Amino acid sequence: MARMALVTGGSRGIGAAISKALLAEGYKVAATYAGNDEKAAAFTADTGIQTYKWDVADYAASAAGIAQVEGDLGPIDVVVANAGITRDAAFHKMTPQMWQEVIATNLTGVFNTIHPVWPGMRDRGFGRVIVISSINGQKGQAGQVNYAATKAGDLGIIRSLAQEGARKNITANAICPGYIGTEMVRAIPEDVLNTKILPQIPAGRLGEPEEIARCVVFLAADNAGFINGSTISANGAQFFA
């Protein structure tokens, strides 16, 4: 029987690549999104992957959405916590609201996504938890104190869950992408990209969303059970943790 995978923020960017890669590997896939109904509908029409709308920062909404997914498609075996936002500013200009919004989505949202599926994984004796963190959670980044804090916190989550879930055949791992050629990154002015960003990357290029998706497929596999509490750095040799 096909495994069931849930990908938050799974209809755009890296999340869309992950959803499609898991589908191609034979998984049943559900993708969540936060607000863009038109793009979500287009994604479903293009891929056949069912999309569900909720705010991962809201625990009740997450629990209800996950219950609906499991009612429609079956118990969730693989959860990919990918949804995230940025509210960038120099620290002295960062407002409490900018801090709280990022914490709510990128850190609390990971709890809200994993917590409702964890008991079922324990009961069934199988689970794959994969969190999309960031190179900036490993090394920090000026102007992203809030974002870097959440992505570093996500690593603490997976390292702790790995220890709790191991005897139940549940793994928890993270992927830390560097600069990936998503719509957001490609919107950066070309001169900034060429003079400020690419020179930091020994590979000399941006990563592709599909390269992150391949990491997810690897970690999600049934035969990846001894890889637990690990972090895959996918950044073109920009930084070594």
Side-chain angles (χ1 to χ4, degrees):
M1 183 177 292
R3 296 286 190 193
M4 171 62 206
L6 173 69
V7 184
T8 64
S11 65
R12 298 177 65 183
I14 291 173
I18 292 168
S19 295
K20 290 187 280 190
L22 288 169
L23 182 69
E25 290 293 319
Y27 291 80
K28 294 185 290 183
V29 181
T32 81
Y33 69 103
N36 196 319
D37 296 325
E38 184 178 348
K39 289 198 174 182
F43 176 79
T44 296
D46 181 53
T47 63
I49 296 171
Q50 197 162 339
T51 52
Y52 295 80
K53 184 178 181 179
W54 72 74
D55 179 2
V56 297
D58 183 327
Y59 185 87
S62 296
I66 286 166
Q68 182 182 354
V69 169
E70 293 194 319
D72 292 345
L73 301 174
I76 293 167
D77 302 298
V78 178
V79 60
V80 184
N82 167 72
I85 63 171
T86 58
R87 298 288 186 268
D88 296 350
F91 188 60
H92 65 283
K93 295 182 178 179
M94 187 172 290
T95 65
Q97 181 177 353
M98 295 166 75
W99 171 266
Q100 293 294 345
E101 287 178 356
V102 173
I103 294 292
T105 296
N106 298 4
L107 186 61
T108 304
V110 171
F111 172 88
N112 294 346
T113 298
I114 300 169
H115 191 259
V117 304
W118 190 258
M121 289 180 172
R122 285 175 50 83
D123 290 345
R124 293 187 298 275
F126 181 88
R128 297 288 182 262
V129 173
I130 302 162
V131 177
I132 307 303
S133 180
S134 169
I135 185 176
N136 292 341
Q138 296 174 299
K139 72 176 186 61
Q141 179 61 44
Q144 286 197 322
V145 168
N146 49 4
Y147 182 83
T150 63
K151 294 302 184 177
D154 291 341
L155 300 181
I157 289 174
I158 63 99
R159 291 166 184 165
S160 301
L161 288 179
Q163 296 175 63
E164 291 196 24
R167 290 191 179 275
K168 294 290 187 179
N169 195 25
I170 304 171
T171 66
N173 295 287
I175 301 166
C176 286
Y179 284 99
I180 306 299
T182 59
E183 182 179 330
M184 179 178 68
V185 172
R186 293 194 185 281
I188 295 171
E190 188 173 356
D191 63 320
V192 174
L193 193 64
N194 291 334
T195 63
K196 302 293 186 183
I197 294 175
L198 291 180
Q200 300 180 46
I201 307 172
R205 66 174 178 87
L206 300 175
E208 295 298 332
E210 291 74 18
E211 293 178 294
I212 307 305
R214 283 194 287 275
C215 297
V216 171
V217 169
F218 168 67
L219 293 172
D222 279 26
N223 60 3
F226 206 60
I227 303 163
N228 205 357
S230 296
T231 300
I232 295 178
S233 297
N235 60 39
Q238 183 181 350
F239 182 78
F240 303 104

